[in-house]
Amino acid sequence: MARGPTLMLERAFIGGPVCGVDEAGRGPWAGPVSAAAVILDLKKVPKGLDDSKKLSAKTREALEIEIKAKAVAWCVGFASVEEIATLNILHAAGLAMRRAIEGLAVAPAFALVDGNYRFDLPCEVKTVVGGDGKSKSIAAASILAKVARDRLMIEMDARYPGYGFASHKGYHAEIHVEALQTLGPCEIHRMGWAPVKLALAGEPLRQVVLPFED
């Protein structure tokens, strides 16, 4: 059995280009959610594609450059904190995915989407549970989405100093908990998230549970 993502799912579709789609940032307490769509050139696939969580930041950044140089098309979309509050995080992630697909220079016929939720997207959708570990296209999308969001959160660290966004990217971290307690939430915090609500109410964040990092 092959280890890591392959091109088996991409090659199973006949009738048009196939894009991989994945998101980053469903779990954190601050910042937007991002999504990427990538149509790989099956003859020029970068080596080392894998679930972005399994790769170091340096490896992800190197692969981002290679993916963008070799892919048939790629695009990253975002959904804002305000859209997350209005739509909920699941549907905001779907909105970011739609924006990523609609921004591709080549329209895909099929989308391989990480997870089990069938979003309303502008092409036929196949959901793939654990897709970033099975499909090279989804793995490429996971890398672009993660790097783009991380880069944005580093920029937010300069705009909103004191929260440590450059290090934890909006996720649970001791420096983040302490900053919420002392500074209160800032404009890019997700006000509906439990720890942010506690901070707004002046309550201690002792019972906060570490969320998954997507």
Side-chain angles (χ1 to χ4, degrees):
M1 179 180 291
R3 294 184 179 181
T6 70
L7 293 170
M8 184 173 65
L9 291 172
E10 288 84 347
R11 289 181 169 135
F13 284 94
I14 300 172
V18 178
C19 70
V21 182
D22 201 3
E23 51 76 25
R26 282 176 62 175
W29 307 345
V33 61
S34 63
V38 179
I39 301 175
L40 290 175
D41 182 337
L42 302 190
K43 296 180 180 179
K44 295 190 295 183
V45 177
K47 293 181 179 179
L49 295 178
D50 206 342
D51 176 355
S52 63
K53 296 184 291 297
K54 296 180 179 179
L55 306 173
S56 68
K58 183 177 181 179
T59 299
R60 287 194 298 264
E61 290 166 5
L63 281 169
E64 178 200 34
I65 294 170
E66 195 173 358
I67 291 164
K68 289 179 176 181
K70 293 181 176 180
V72 172
W74 64 270
C75 184
V76 176
F78 288 89
S80 68
V81 169
E82 293 78 15
E83 288 168 328
I84 292 169
T86 300
L87 300 173
N88 76 37
I89 185 58
L90 177 67
H91 291 97
L95 177 59
M97 289 181 183
R98 171 173 281 276
R99 286 170 173 163
I101 293 174
E102 289 177 343
L104 290 170
V106 176
F110 307 99
L112 298 170
V113 179
D114 185 50
N116 60 4
Y117 190 87
R118 187 174 293 274
F119 294 99
D120 180 18
L121 299 175
C123 60
E124 184 177 334
V125 172
K126 177 178 176 57
T127 58
V128 187
V129 175
D132 43 12
K134 297 176 181 177
S135 158
K136 287 185 182 290
S137 295
I138 297 177
S142 78
I143 292 165
L144 294 195
K146 171 71 173 166
V147 174
R149 187 181 185 280
D150 284 358
R151 188 175 291 128
L152 178 62
M153 293 306 293
I154 291 170
E155 294 173 5
M156 291 301 100
D157 186 68
R159 186 177 300 182
Y160 302 100
Y163 294 95
F165 290 138
S167 62
H168 55 68
K169 313 303 188 293
Y171 286 87
H172 179 288
E174 189 61 35
I175 186 176
H176 199 182
V177 171
E178 292 175 358
L180 276 173
Q181 298 273 215
T182 57
L183 303 176
C186 70
E187 291 180 358
I188 64 166
H189 276 101
R190 300 176 182 178
M191 300 304 173
W193 258 231
V196 183
K197 283 183 176 179
L198 287 172
L200 280 169
E203 298 288 339
L205 276 65
R206 298 191 190 98
Q207 302 302 316
V208 171
V209 176
L210 180 67
F212 68 91
E213 179 161 350
D214 42 10

Coordinates of all heavy atoms in Angstrom, one line a residue, residues 5-14 16-23 35-40 42 97 101 104 108-119 121 123-132 134-142:
P5 N -0.1 10.8 0.3 CA -1.0 11.1 -0.8 C -0.5 10.6 -2.1 O 0.7 10.5 -2.4 CB -1.1 12.6 -0.7 CG 0.1 13.0 -0.1 CD 0.5 12.0 0.9
T6 N -1.5 10.3 -3.0 CA -1.2 9.8 -4.3 C -2.0 10.6 -5.3 O -2.8 11.5 -5.0 CB -1.5 8.3 -4.5 OG1 -3.0 8.1 -4.5 CG2 -0.9 7.5 -3.4
L7 N -2.0 10.2 -6.6 CA -2.8 10.8 -7.6 C -3.9 9.9 -8.1 O -4.6 10.2 -9.1 CB -1.9 11.2 -8.8 CG -0.9 12.3 -8.6 CD1 0.1 12.4 -9.8 CD2 -1.5 13.6 -8.4
M8 N -4.2 8.9 -7.3 CA -5.2 7.9 -7.7 C -6.6 8.6 -7.9 O -7.3 8.3 -8.9 CB -5.3 6.8 -6.7 CG -6.3 5.7 -7.0 SD -6.2 4.3 -5.9 CE -6.8 5.1 -4.4
L9 N -7.0 9.4 -7.0 CA -8.3 10.0 -7.0 C -8.4 11.0 -8.2 O -9.4 11.1 -8.9 CB -8.6 10.8 -5.7 CG -8.9 9.9 -4.5 CD1 -9.0 10.7 -3.3 CD2 -10.1 9.1 -4.7
E10 N -7.3 11.8 -8.4 CA -7.3 12.7 -9.6 C -7.4 11.9 -10.9 O -8.2 12.4 -11.8 CB -6.0 13.5 -9.6 CG -5.8 14.5 -8.5 CD -5.4 14.0 -7.2 OE1 -5.3 12.7 -7.0 OE2 -5.0 14.8 -6.3
R11 N -6.8 10.8 -11.0 CA -6.8 10.1 -12.3 C -8.1 9.3 -12.5 O -8.4 8.9 -13.6 CB -5.6 9.1 -12.3 CG -4.3 9.9 -12.5 CD -3.1 8.9 -12.6 NE -1.9 9.6 -13.0 CZ -0.7 9.5 -12.5 NH1 -0.5 8.7 -11.4 NH2 0.4 10.2 -12.9
A12 N -8.9 9.2 -11.4 CA -10.2 8.4 -11.6 C -11.2 9.3 -12.2 O -12.2 8.7 -12.7 CB -10.6 8.0 -10.2
F13 N -11.0 10.6 -12.3 CA -12.0 11.5 -12.9 C -11.7 11.7 -14.4 O -10.5 12.0 -14.7 CB -12.1 12.8 -12.2 CG -12.8 12.7 -10.9 CD1 -12.1 12.5 -9.7 CD2 -14.2 12.9 -10.8 CE1 -12.8 12.5 -8.5 CE2 -14.9 12.8 -9.6 CZ -14.2 12.6 -8.4
I14 N -12.7 11.6 -15.2 CA -12.5 11.8 -16.7 C -13.6 12.9 -17.1 O -14.7 12.8 -16.7 CB -12.8 10.6 -17.5 CG1 -11.7 9.5 -17.1 CG2 -12.7 10.8 -19.0 CD1 -12.0 8.1 -17.7
G16 N -12.6 16.5 -17.3 CA -12.2 17.9 -17.1 C -11.2 18.0 -16.0 O -10.9 17.0 -15.3
P17 N -10.6 19.2 -15.7 CA -9.6 19.3 -14.7 C -10.2 19.0 -13.3 O -11.4 19.3 -13.0 CB -9.3 20.8 -14.8 CG -9.7 21.2 -16.2 CD -10.9 20.4 -16.5
V18 N -9.3 18.5 -12.4 CA -9.7 18.2 -11.1 C -8.8 19.1 -10.1 O -7.6 19.2 -10.3 CB -9.3 16.7 -10.7 CG1 -9.6 16.4 -9.3 CG2 -10.1 15.8 -11.7
C19 N -9.5 19.7 -9.2 CA -8.8 20.5 -8.2 C -8.9 19.9 -6.8 O -9.9 19.3 -6.5 CB -9.3 22.0 -8.2 SG -11.0 22.2 -7.5
G20 N -7.9 20.0 -6.0 CA -7.9 19.7 -4.6 C -8.3 20.9 -3.8 O -7.9 22.0 -4.2
V21 N -9.1 20.7 -2.8 CA -9.5 21.9 -2.0 C -9.4 21.5 -0.5 O -9.7 20.4 0.0 CB -11.0 22.2 -2.2 CG1 -11.4 23.4 -1.4 CG2 -11.2 22.5 -3.7
D22 N -8.8 22.4 0.3 CA -8.7 22.3 1.7 C -8.7 23.6 2.4 O -8.4 24.7 1.7 CB -7.4 21.5 2.1 CG -7.5 20.9 3.5 OD1 -8.5 21.0 4.1 OD2 -6.5 20.2 3.9
E23 N -9.0 23.6 3.7 CA -9.1 24.9 4.4 C -8.1 24.8 5.6 O -7.5 23.8 5.9 CB -10.5 25.1 4.9 CG -11.1 24.0 5.7 CD -10.6 23.8 7.1 OE1 -10.1 24.8 7.7 OE2 -10.7 22.7 7.6
A35 N -8.9 29.0 2.6 CA -9.1 27.8 1.8 C -8.3 28.0 0.5 O -8.1 29.1 0.0 CB -10.5 27.5 1.5
A36 N -7.8 26.9 0.0 CA -7.0 26.9 -1.3 C -7.6 25.8 -2.2 O -8.1 24.8 -1.8 CB -5.6 26.7 -1.1
A37 N -7.5 26.1 -3.5 CA -7.9 25.2 -4.6 C -6.7 25.1 -5.5 O -6.1 26.1 -5.9 CB -9.1 25.7 -5.3
V38 N -6.3 23.9 -5.8 CA -5.1 23.6 -6.7 C -5.4 22.6 -7.8 O -5.9 21.5 -7.4 CB -3.9 23.1 -5.8 CG1 -2.7 22.9 -6.7 CG2 -3.6 24.1 -4.7
I39 N -5.1 22.9 -9.0 CA -5.2 22.0 -10.1 C -3.7 21.7 -10.4 O -3.0 22.5 -10.9 CB -5.9 22.5 -11.3 CG1 -7.3 22.9 -11.0 CG2 -5.9 21.5 -12.5 CD1 -8.1 23.6 -12.2
L40 N -3.3 20.5 -10.1 CA -1.9 20.1 -10.3 C -1.7 19.7 -11.8 O -2.6 19.2 -12.4 CB -1.5 18.9 -9.5 CG -1.4 19.1 -8.0 CD1 -1.1 17.8 -7.3 CD2 -0.2 20.1 -7.7
L42 N -0.3 17.0 -13.7 CA 0.1 15.6 -13.2 C 1.4 15.2 -13.8 O 2.0 14.1 -13.3 CB -1.0 14.6 -13.7 CG -2.4 14.9 -13.2 CD1 -3.3 13.7 -13.5 CD2 -2.4 15.2 -11.7
M97 N -13.8 28.3 0.4 CA -13.5 27.3 -0.7 C -14.1 27.8 -2.0 O -13.5 27.7 -3.0 CB -14.1 26.0 -0.3 CG -13.4 25.3 0.9 SD -14.2 23.7 1.3 CE -13.2 23.1 2.6
I101 N -12.1 28.4 -5.5 CA -12.4 27.7 -6.8 C -12.7 28.7 -7.9 O -12.3 28.6 -9.0 CB -13.5 26.7 -6.6 CG1 -13.0 25.5 -5.7 CG2 -14.0 26.2 -7.9 CD1 -14.1 24.5 -5.4
L104 N -9.8 30.4 -9.6 CA -8.8 29.7 -10.4 C -8.8 30.2 -11.9 O -9.9 30.5 -12.4 CB -9.2 28.2 -10.4 CG -9.0 27.4 -9.1 CD1 -9.6 26.0 -9.2 CD2 -7.5 27.3 -8.8
P108 N -12.4 24.2 -12.9 CA -12.3 22.7 -12.7 C -13.7 22.1 -13.0 O -14.7 22.7 -12.8 CB -12.0 22.6 -11.2 CG -12.6 23.8 -10.6 CD -12.4 24.9 -11.6
A109 N -13.7 20.8 -13.4 CA -14.9 20.1 -13.6 C -15.2 19.3 -12.3 O -16.4 19.1 -12.0 CB -14.7 19.1 -14.7
F110 N -14.2 19.0 -11.5 CA -14.4 18.3 -10.2 C -13.6 18.9 -9.1 O -12.5 19.4 -9.4 CB -14.0 16.8 -10.4 CG -14.6 16.1 -11.6 CD1 -13.9 16.0 -12.8 CD2 -15.9 15.5 -11.5 CE1 -14.5 15.3 -13.9 CE2 -16.4 14.9 -12.6 CZ -15.7 14.8 -13.8
A111 N -14.1 18.8 -7.9 CA -13.3 19.2 -6.7 C -13.2 18.1 -5.7 O -14.2 17.5 -5.4 CB -14.0 20.4 -6.1
L112 N -12.0 17.7 -5.4 CA -11.8 16.8 -4.3 C -11.6 17.6 -3.0 O -10.7 18.4 -2.9 CB -10.5 16.0 -4.5 CG -10.4 15.1 -5.8 CD1 -9.0 14.6 -6.0 CD2 -11.4 14.0 -5.7
V113 N -12.6 17.5 -2.1 CA -12.6 18.4 -0.9 C -12.3 17.5 0.4 O -12.9 16.5 0.6 CB -14.0 19.0 -0.8 CG1 -14.0 19.9 0.5 CG2 -14.3 19.9 -2.0
D114 N -11.4 18.0 1.1 CA -11.0 17.3 2.4 C -12.2 17.4 3.3 O -12.9 18.4 3.5 CB -9.8 18.0 3.0 CG -9.3 17.3 4.2 OD1 -9.1 16.1 4.2 OD2 -9.1 18.0 5.3
G115 N -12.5 16.2 4.0 CA -13.5 16.2 5.0 C -14.7 15.4 4.5 O -14.7 14.7 3.4
N116 N -15.8 15.5 5.2 CA -17.0 14.7 4.8 C -18.2 15.6 4.6 O -19.4 15.1 4.4 CB -17.4 13.7 5.9 CG -17.7 14.4 7.3 OD1 -17.7 15.6 7.4 ND2 -17.9 13.5 8.3
Y117 N -18.1 16.9 4.6 CA -19.2 17.8 4.3 C -19.2 18.3 2.9 O -18.2 18.7 2.3 CB -19.1 19.1 5.2 CG -20.4 19.9 5.2 CD1 -21.4 19.6 6.0 CD2 -20.5 20.9 4.3 CE1 -22.6 20.3 6.0 CE2 -21.7 21.7 4.2 CZ -22.7 21.4 5.1 OH -23.9 22.1 5.0
R118 N -20.3 18.1 2.2 CA -20.4 18.4 0.8 C -20.9 19.9 0.6 O -22.1 20.2 0.7 CB -21.4 17.5 0.1 CG -21.5 17.6 -1.4 CD -22.4 16.6 -2.1 NE -21.8 15.2 -1.9 CZ -20.9 14.7 -2.7 NH1 -20.5 15.4 -3.8 NH2 -20.4 13.5 -2.5
F119 N -19.9 20.8 0.5 CA -20.3 22.2 0.3 C -20.9 22.4 -1.1 O -20.7 21.7 -2.0 CB -19.0 23.0 0.4 CG -18.4 23.0 1.8 CD1 -17.3 22.2 2.1 CD2 -18.9 23.8 2.8 CE1 -16.8 22.1 3.4 CE2 -18.4 23.8 4.1 CZ -17.3 23.0 4.4
L121 N -20.4 24.0 -4.1 CA -19.3 24.6 -4.8 C -19.6 24.7 -6.3 O -20.5 23.9 -6.8 CB -18.1 23.8 -4.5 CG -17.6 23.8 -3.1 CD1 -16.4 22.9 -2.9 CD2 -17.3 25.2 -2.6
C123 N -18.7 23.3 -8.9 CA -18.4 22.2 -9.8 C -18.8 20.9 -9.0 O -19.2 21.0 -7.8 CB -16.9 22.1 -10.1 SG -15.8 22.0 -8.7
E124 N -18.7 19.8 -9.6 CA -19.0 18.5 -9.0 C -18.0 18.3 -7.8 O -16.8 18.6 -7.9 CB -18.9 17.3 -9.9 CG -19.3 16.0 -9.3 CD -19.3 14.9 -10.4 OE1 -19.5 15.2 -11.6 OE2 -19.1 13.7 -9.9
V125 N -18.5 17.8 -6.7 CA -17.7 17.6 -5.5 C -17.6 16.2 -5.0 O -18.6 15.5 -5.1 CB -18.3 18.5 -4.3 CG1 -17.6 18.2 -3.0 CG2 -18.3 19.9 -4.6
K126 N -16.4 15.8 -4.7 CA -16.2 14.5 -4.0 C -15.5 14.8 -2.7 O -14.4 15.3 -2.7 CB -15.4 13.5 -4.9 CG -15.1 12.2 -4.1 CD -14.3 11.2 -5.0 CE -13.9 10.0 -4.2 NZ -15.1 9.2 -3.7
T127 N -16.2 14.4 -1.6 CA -15.5 14.6 -0.3 C -14.6 13.4 0.0 O -14.9 12.3 -0.4 CB -16.6 14.7 0.8 OG1 -17.4 13.5 0.8 CG2 -17.5 15.9 0.6
V128 N -13.5 13.7 0.7 CA -12.5 12.7 1.0 C -12.1 12.9 2.4 O -11.4 13.9 2.8 CB -11.3 12.8 0.1 CG1 -10.3 11.7 0.3 CG2 -11.7 12.9 -1.4
V129 N -12.5 12.0 3.3 CA -12.1 12.1 4.7 C -10.6 11.8 4.8 O -10.1 10.8 4.2 CB -12.9 11.1 5.6 CG1 -12.4 11.1 7.0 CG2 -14.4 11.4 5.5
G130 N -9.9 12.7 5.5 CA -8.4 12.6 5.6 C -7.8 12.8 4.2 O -6.7 12.3 3.9
G131 N -8.4 13.6 3.4 CA -8.0 13.8 2.0 C -6.6 14.4 1.9 O -5.9 14.1 0.9
D132 N -6.1 15.2 2.8 CA -4.8 15.8 2.7 C -3.7 14.7 2.9 O -2.5 14.9 2.6 CB -4.5 16.9 3.7 CG -5.1 16.7 5.0 OD1 -5.4 15.5 5.3 OD2 -5.1 17.6 5.8
K134 N -4.3 11.6 1.4 CA -4.7 10.6 0.4 C -4.5 11.2 -1.0 O -4.1 10.5 -1.9 CB -6.1 10.2 0.6 CG -6.4 9.4 1.9 CD -7.9 9.1 2.0 CE -8.1 8.4 3.3 NZ -9.6 8.1 3.5
S135 N -4.8 12.5 -1.2 CA -4.7 13.1 -2.5 C -3.6 14.2 -2.6 O -3.6 15.1 -1.7 CB -6.1 13.7 -2.8 OG -6.0 14.8 -3.8
K136 N -2.8 14.1 -3.6 CA -1.7 15.1 -3.7 C -2.3 16.5 -4.0 O -1.8 17.5 -3.5 CB -0.8 14.7 -4.8 CG 0.2 13.5 -4.5 CD 1.2 13.3 -5.5 CE 2.1 12.1 -5.2 NZ 3.0 12.4 -4.1
S137 N -3.4 16.6 -4.7 CA -4.0 17.9 -4.9 C -4.6 18.5 -3.7 O -4.4 19.7 -3.4 CB -5.2 17.7 -6.0 OG -4.7 17.3 -7.2
I138 N -5.2 17.7 -2.8 CA -5.7 18.2 -1.6 C -4.5 18.6 -0.7 O -4.6 19.6 0.0 CB -6.6 17.2 -0.9 CG1 -7.9 16.9 -1.7 CG2 -7.0 17.7 0.5 CD1 -8.8 15.9 -1.1
A139 N -3.5 17.7 -0.7 CA -2.3 18.1 0.1 C -1.7 19.4 -0.3 O -1.3 20.2 0.5 CB -1.3 17.0 0.0
A140 N -1.6 19.6 -1.6 CA -1.1 20.9 -2.1 C -2.0 22.1 -1.6 O -1.5 23.1 -1.2 CB -1.0 20.9 -3.6
A141 N -3.3 21.9 -1.7 CA -4.2 22.9 -1.2 C -4.1 23.2 0.3 O -4.1 24.3 0.7 CB -5.7 22.5 -1.5
S142 N -3.9 22.1 1.0 CA -3.7 22.3 2.5 C -2.4 23.1 2.8 O -2.4 23.9 3.7 CB -3.6 20.9 3.2 OG -2.3 20.3 3.1

